[in-house]
Each structure stands twice: as structure tokens, then as C-alpha cells.
Amino acid sequence: MEDTRDLAERTPRSERKRRDSFGMFDGYDSCSEESTSSSSSDDSEDEVVPSIPASLPIIKNNGQVYTYPDGKAGMATCEMCGMVGVRDAFYSKTKRFCSVSCSRSYSSNSKKASILARLQGKPPTKKAKVLQKQPLVAKLAAYAQYQASQQNQAKSKAVVPAEIFDWGRYICSNNTVGAPVSCFKHAPMGTCWGGIAEGVRIEVLNSDTSLSTKVYWIAEIIKLAGFKALLRYEGFDNDTSKDFWSNLCIPEVHPVGWCASSGKPLVPPKSIQHKYSNWKAFLVKRLTGAKTLPPDFNSKVHENMQFPFKKLMRVEVVDKNYLCRTRVALVEQVIGGRLRLVYEESQDQSDDFWCHMFSPLIHNIGWSRSIGHRFKRSDVTKKIEGQADAPAQVFQKVKDVDQSGDWFKDGMKLEAIDPLNLSAICVATVRKVLADGYLMIGIDGSEAVDGSDWFCYHSTSPSIFPVGFCEINNIELTPPRGYTKLPFKWFDYLREMGSIAAPVKLFNKEVPNHGFRQGMKLEAVDLMEPRLVCVATVTRIVHRLLRIHFDGWEDEYDQWVDCESPDLYPVGWCQLTGYQLQPPASQSNREMPQSVPKQKKKAQQYKGQKKKSLLRMKEEAAEVDEFTFSQGTSDQESNGSGSYYIKQEP
């Protein structure tokens, strides 16, 4: 999809005089006294194709909406087939019919039957034929079809929960900035957001009107925060009284020129309709040379909201009770690319697990066997009708590595994000080398005897680091539990344990130009409660590593996450996908008795306040009921590099 571009370049020069680039101005001129004479009683229909104006006759020079006898602003209804459209685009002088065909058929034998059917609310007996050279004919269905579409819209709205948290007010009151959509390559529009920025003009619904029908007006993007934009109607200049926030990816947002091509009324806000006597001249001056959305923006949004995973697809996913193995699970729900997986042996579907479709925790059926990973076989013999193995190509690919020569070996030491306490980077050990670059990692000092809490990271994972990474980057390293020689020194520890550090060259040191900045707002998954997506802030950046703080919660709940993690989303992602956003916690929500044990998560929709879990003791890992990894992706699209041994100030 092309970036935003000059409006003056959108149409050929020959078209500009007629449409003035905005598809509006002929419409202003046609709102004359000649138009008001359209209620003539002359029934003889001229069969010559009329000259069609290139834009809507919506506004007079005094800023008033011109209303035709049918009560609609510039709209008319075909007396033959019931088609509703722009009046000036209708056929003949009296504008009673939408086409030559309807005019000729009016006096035919089917006339009475057609009119009777329409009055009874039945679909019209035939479709109106709209001339292709009439670009302004509204492509609306007949009354029955229109009513059906309204019902469908009502049903679709009922499915998506309303957004409770007001991002716009939150950002303005705290004077903060939202991370750009381009930072999130896995999110809808993440790779094709283009040059959408402040100053871009769009066409949106006009809420400052007393009209009962939907009308639109042009607005300017004043501030961007993820998918959300602070908008100001054209003509308000420095007046902020009618500014409003909107998600740019909703269906009601369009490029400038959409109203003209779709036959929609473009009406200035009521508060300023008398501010200019000639809106045509005003818009010519204001919009010429300005930028707008690409013409295929809405279709790209729709395309980006399609996901390859479907219900009842079978996958292998990490066993949340035993980190060291995987199990078979079925896709039960897909929301915005996030998957609710139900383990195959679950009887009541309450044994579930949430993750993104690009998460490193899920794999195709047969993956565990192919690399030598532990796997729990399912006792289920009868398959559910319709279930099928998810194809291998829908899973996120990892980078190929060469394991020959100098490679990771059992017993090598490193530093790793603890999947049971994502706020900590710990002393860790390579416990087992698997195929295709995968490693089984254990946290020193807190491993279960049977190795049930080992976890699998790929060698290119951004969640494992060479020895000394934390010290050089001024990050607190969590020493092994029970280790008394503090402060912790790697040199002394390696000598005492008789171990060696994993070679630095084996780690992923690529740092993409991710675009995140300290203080940026976003929506982030609480990886300790992976069904929750919360209001969050980037509080620190160390190369490609982000420190994510959940607004309203103490710093101890912060989590280290990779900049390309599929569990980070732009502001407005929840509203766009219909996922429930967890607002910042209040003080009363945070005061949890330390004696209260962690409750098992329910497989319910996203309701209620965010409930943080107490950190579990590692020696109880064999009995734990939930867990998650730090879900950073491999750096496949990195366009930069950085050294882990360049100190970065916090």
C-alpha cells in the first residue's frame, strides 16, 4: 500500500476542474434556485442521458443543507424500483427514476406489482441499473436490503465489547506518547502504516450536526497514539473545543474524496457553518497539497484482520504445568491473532492457554519429535469432527543455525529471563542441546530435581544473553537461590562450579531499529496472566530489550520483553480487535494479602479487574498450574546491529 500523498496528484489534471480534487465544489455550485425547481409536475421523461455533476449538491454558499421534497439532504428514491441515491445523479429533469430502464418500465404492466411489493416492505422485483459513468450514484441497496444490512451491523456490534478505558483522555491528561503502529510488525497494518502522521486529512462522521442522517466532514490528525488519533474538524483552526479521539482503522474513517466517489453528504459542523460564506474556496485553499490516506486503506485494514488459524486446528503447545514438555491443544478462539488454546484432554475446556499465533510457545504437530523435545501423548482417541492439524507454514519460522563446530554444550552458563518471574534476568545453565538450534535451559539454584521446570529457548532467542550482559548494561542479575557470596561475581562462580560461559558469538546480537522510546504507551500482555492485555508503558530500553511497566501496578510486576514480541500492541489494538483492555489498577486492587494463594485462571471472557498473581516459589514448579515464557521472536527482520558490550545508561 502506498504512503499518504498529495491530494493534488490523486486525479488527472482534466478531472481537477470538474472535481477540484475533493469531489465537492460542483456540488456547492449546483445548490442554486434552478435545483429547487426540481419538483416540477412534468411527467414526460427525457431519455437523453443527463450531464452528471461530479460531486454532491450538499451545501449552499450560506452553509445550509439543501433538503429535497423527500426530506433527505440531496437524496431521492426511484419510484419504480426503490433505489435510494443522490438526487442530481438520477435520470431526467424530475429526478423520479434512477435509470432509463426504470423510466421506461414505469408505465408497464409490472408497475403496480412493483410498487405494491415495495410498499409492503418486500425486496424490489428487479435491480436498478446504474449507469457506470455516474460516479456519484449512491450504491445503496433497496429498502429491504438496507434494513437487512442495518440488522447485520447491529449483530456485529453486539459481538465486540465496548471499550471502557478512554485512551484519549489518559494520554492527554498525562501528556504521554503512544508507540507508533510501525513498531509492531505483527499487528494489523504494522508493515503498511506508511507515512500516516500529524497533518494528514481524512473524512469522518460529523457528530456536530442536527441532521438525523449520517453526514461527513474533513478532519485533520492533530496527534497520533498507535491506532488512535486526536482529530480536529477542518475550519476550527486553533479552536480545540470539538477535538475528539478516533481509531483510524474503524470503517467510518476514509481518505479525502471518498464521500464524492461514494455519494455521501459532506457537511460542515454546525458550530462553524456560518464561519465561511464560501466553503468551496476555503477547502480549495486549505486542502490543496495536503496529504490523506491511501485509497485502499480500508481494504488493507480488512485484509490485515484475516488470520490463518481457525477453530479446531491442532497444535503443539508448551505444557503450562510442566515447562519441559509440550502437549496437543485445539484452537478454540482467535481474536486479533491471539489464540485461546484448549488442551486436547480437557473435558470441560477450562484447561486452556492464551498466546499469539506468532508465539515461540506453539508449533506444528510433530515438532517435538523432530527436535527431541519432551512430549506428553494425548489419551484422547476419538477426534472431534472438523479438527485438523494446523499446517506448518502458518507458524513463525526461526532462523537456521549451524550447530557444527563451536556450539552450545550441556553445562554451559549464561543469563536468561526467568519464565516464572519475567521481571528477573537470572544465572542459568544449558541443560540439554536439542536439534535445529533449540536449547533446554534451567535457572540455577531453583531447578526441580526431575528437570520439570527446564524451558526451551531457541539459540537465537532474544531472551537469553551471554555472561556479563547484565553487569555491562547496568541490569540487576538475580543470583542462584541460596548463593551467599554476594555481590555475585561471574568469575568466582564459574571457578567454583567448574563451568564455562557459553561463547558470546553464539548469541543473537542483532538490534533492529524498532522505534520504541522510553515513556511510550502501549497495550501489553501480562505474561504471568496471558489472557490479560493491559495498559502499559516502556520504562527502559536496553538494545532490543524493553522493560514493560503495567500502569497502576508496582515495579515488581514489570516484565522484560523483546522489542519484536508478539505480545505487545499499539494503543487502540483492543478496540480494533474486540479484545477487552485491562485499565490501570487502582490502589484498592493492588492491595492483595500476601497469604492469598494464586487462583487458577478461569476460561472466561475478559471481564473484571486485573488480578496479579503472587510470584511462586521455584521449588514448587512441579505443582504450578500456570506459567508462561517471555515471548520474544527471533530477529528475522532486524535491520540494525548492536554490541551487547556497549554500555547503555538506564
Side-chain angles (χ1 to χ4, degrees):
M1 182 176 66
E2 63 181 12
D3 290 342
T4 52
R5 70 251 181 265
D6 289 350
L7 294 179
E9 299 176 358
R10 296 193 55 191
T11 55
R13 187 172 297 275
S14 60
E15 291 288 316
R16 290 180 196 163
K17 184 176 180 181
R18 188 163 60 92
R19 295 182 55 201
D20 287 339
S21 300
F22 315 117
M24 292 184 50
F25 309 134
D26 286 348
Y28 281 81
D29 294 341
S30 63
C31 286
S32 60
E33 293 303 318
E34 181 180 350
S35 298
T36 62
S37 64
S38 60
S39 57
S40 170
S41 59
D42 184 8
D43 290 336
S44 62
E45 302 300 333
D46 187 356
E47 296 189 5
V48 178
V49 177
S51 175
I52 305 300
S55 54
L56 297 179
I58 304 170
I59 304 169
K60 279 187 173 182
N61 287 343
N62 62 2
Q64 298 297 320
V65 176
Y66 187 85
T67 304
Y68 286 94
D70 62 356
K72 297 180 180 179
M75 308 299 285
T77 303
C78 179
E79 295 184 16
M80 181 61 202
C81 70
M83 168 66 78
V84 179
V86 180
R87 192 178 190 284
D88 275 6
F90 268 42
Y91 178 72
S92 79
K93 295 179 179 179
T94 58
K95 312 298 183 185
R96 295 172 56 196
F97 306 106
C98 67
S99 65
V100 175
S101 176
C102 282
S103 174
R104 289 174 174 173
S105 301
Y106 184 75
S107 58
S108 67
N109 293 333
S110 61
K111 169 186 172 184
K112 292 182 179 180
S114 177
I115 295 175
L116 179 61
R118 181 160 58 87
L119 292 176
Q120 291 175 344
K122 298 178 181 179
T125 55
K126 70 180 189 65
K127 295 181 180 179
K129 296 181 179 179
V130 183
L131 297 178
Q132 295 199 0
K133 57 175 160 180
Q134 298 181 3
L136 300 181
V137 173
K139 299 176 182 178
L140 303 175
Y143 177 75
Q145 295 170 321
Y146 172 79
Q147 201 169 34
S149 67
Q150 291 295 97
Q151 293 174 354
N152 290 336
Q153 287 181 11
K155 290 179 181 178
S156 64
K157 289 179 180 177
V159 174
V160 180
E163 185 185 51
I164 300 174
F165 179 69
D166 188 346
W167 261 119
R169 179 180 300 178
Y170 189 68
I171 287 175
C172 289
S173 62
N174 293 281
N175 195 26
T176 54
V177 178
V181 173
S182 56
C183 292
F184 309 87
K185 305 302 182 186
H186 58 281
M189 304 299 292
T191 59
C192 50
W193 193 245
I196 299 176
E198 296 176 4
V200 168
R201 265 59 168 209
I202 57 177
E203 291 180 354
V204 294
L205 283 173
N206 180 2
S207 60
D208 184 18
T209 179
S210 57
L211 297 174
S212 58
T213 57
K214 281 186 178 181
V215 293
Y216 296 80
W217 190 241
I218 296 168
E220 178 184 357
I221 297 177
I222 302 300
K223 184 173 183 177
L224 266 179
F227 291 120
K228 293 273 196 175
L230 179 63
L231 303 176
R232 182 175 301 162
Y233 289 124
E234 202 65 62
F236 275 88
D237 299 327
N238 295 324
D239 183 357
T240 63
S241 61
K242 296 295 182 179
D243 287 4
F244 62 100
W245 285 86
S246 175
N247 194 311
L248 293 181
C249 291
I250 61 175
E252 289 79 14
V253 172
H254 305 279
V256 171
W258 175 84
C259 283
S261 62
S262 303
K264 303 296 182 183
L266 199 59
V267 180
K270 179 176 61 176
S271 303
I272 59 170
Q273 65 181 8
H274 298 293
K275 185 175 181 180
Y276 297 97
S277 60
N278 190 337
W279 283 99
K280 165 184 171 180
F282 167 79
L283 289 179
V284 169
K285 180 179 179 181
R286 186 63 62 91
L287 299 183
T288 300
K291 293 182 179 181
T292 188
L293 301 177
D296 61 347
F297 183 78
N298 296 93
S299 61
K300 280 292 184 182
V301 172
H302 177 75
E303 178 183 318
N304 275 251
M305 291 296 291
Q306 308 305 309
F307 307 102
F309 282 89
K310 308 299 178 185
K311 187 174 181 179
L312 296 183
M313 280 187 172
R314 298 173 77 240
V315 301
E316 287 185 10
V317 64
V318 69
D319 187 339
K320 63 184 182 182
N321 296 321
Y322 294 89
L323 284 66
C324 63
R325 71 186 184 189
T326 57
R327 295 169 61 183
V328 173
L330 297 176
V331 176
E332 176 60 27
Q333 197 173 4
V334 182
I335 304 179
R338 290 191 60 76
L339 311 177
R340 177 178 173 245
L341 304 173
V342 176
Y343 290 110
E344 195 171 46
E345 296 171 305
S346 176
Q347 299 297 322
D348 57 358
Q349 295 192 341
S350 62
D351 193 8
D352 64 352
F353 184 81
W354 278 93
C355 66
H356 193 271
M357 63 181 185
F358 292 155
S359 168
L361 303 180
I362 61 171
H363 308 276
N364 58 289
I365 299 296
W367 172 83
S368 298
R369 175 181 290 184
S370 69
I371 70 161
H373 194 283
R374 289 175 63 179
F375 175 75
K376 181 185 178 184
R377 294 186 179 277
S378 173
D379 296 331
V380 177
T381 56
K382 185 179 180 181
K383 290 188 176 182
I384 303 174
E385 183 179 355
Q387 73 179 42
D389 296 350
Q393 60 266 27
V394 302
F395 295 89
Q396 185 79 334
K397 302 297 186 293
V398 294
K399 187 179 296 185
D400 293 332
V401 295
D402 182 9
Q403 294 188 217
S404 62
D406 194 8
W407 189 244
F408 289 97
K409 293 181 175 58
D410 294 0
M412 282 183 172
K413 300 294 182 181
L414 68 161
E415 298 175 4
I417 296 177
D418 184 351
L420 294 179
N421 179 9
L422 295 163
S423 65
I425 299 179
C426 305
V427 174
T429 304
V430 176
R431 291 303 179 189
K432 187 177 181 181
V433 178
L434 307 178
D436 295 342
Y438 287 95
L439 310 169
M440 296 303 296
I441 306 294
I443 299 297
D444 284 20
S446 56
E447 297 177 65
V449 177
D450 60 356
S452 59
D453 58 353
W454 295 353
F455 49 96
C456 184
Y457 278 147
H458 194 264
S459 58
T460 61
S461 170
S463 298
I464 59 174
F465 317 97
V467 163
F469 172 81
C470 286
E471 180 180 1
I472 290 174
N473 289 286
N474 196 24
I475 299 174
E476 182 180 357
L477 177 67
T478 302
R481 183 169 306 210
Y483 189 75
T484 57
K485 295 184 179 180
L486 301 177
F488 178 84
K489 299 293 182 182
W490 264 116
F491 181 81
D492 295 337
Y493 184 71
L494 291 173
R495 185 177 57 185
E496 292 172 14
M497 302 301 295
S499 302
I500 61 172
V504 174
K505 65 180 181 180
L506 299 180
F507 293 86
N508 176 14
K509 295 182 287 295
E510 295 179 354
V511 181
N513 184 19
H514 48 70
F516 286 102
R517 298 291 181 267
Q518 187 172 323
M520 282 183 170
K521 297 292 182 181
L522 69 164
E523 298 175 3
V525 175
D526 177 1
L527 294 171
M528 300 307 295
E529 295 275 1
R531 65 188 176 90
L532 303 180
V533 177
C534 313
V535 173
T537 306
V538 177
T539 57
R540 191 178 174 194
I541 303 173
V542 182
H543 306 300
R544 62 180 300 143
L545 200 60
L546 308 180
R547 183 77 170 179
I548 301 299
H549 174 76
F550 297 102
D551 290 17
W553 293 91
E554 291 84 359
D555 294 345
E556 64 184 273
Y557 296 115
D558 290 1
Q559 297 176 3
W560 288 108
V561 180
D562 182 60
C563 65
E564 293 183 346
S565 168
D567 295 299
L568 303 178
Y569 307 104
V571 167
W573 178 87
C574 282
Q575 181 192 25
L576 176 63
T577 61
Y579 208 102
Q580 183 64 51
L581 177 66
Q582 302 298 316
S586 62
Q587 182 66 33
S588 59
N589 298 136
R590 299 198 303 263
E591 294 174 351
M592 296 177 58
Q594 294 299 309
S595 60
V596 177
K598 174 178 170 58
Q599 299 295 318
K600 188 179 178 91
K601 301 185 201 63
K602 304 297 183 183
Q604 297 176 346
Q605 281 298 325
Y606 317 92
K607 298 178 180 178
Q609 292 292 331
K610 173 184 171 78
K611 296 181 179 179
K612 285 286 183 178
S613 305
L614 299 176
L615 298 177
R616 288 159 290 170
M617 302 297 288
K618 295 297 182 62
E619 57 266 22
E620 297 175 350
E623 287 82 43
V624 341
D625 62 353
E626 290 268 1
F627 86 100
T628 184
F629 287 159
S630 171
Q631 301 180 15
T633 60
S634 62
D635 186 30
Q636 298 186 51
E637 300 178 353
S638 174
N639 58 359
S641 61
S643 170
Y644 277 19
Y645 292 90
I646 299 176
K647 187 170 182 178
Q648 177 171 323
E649 293 300 324

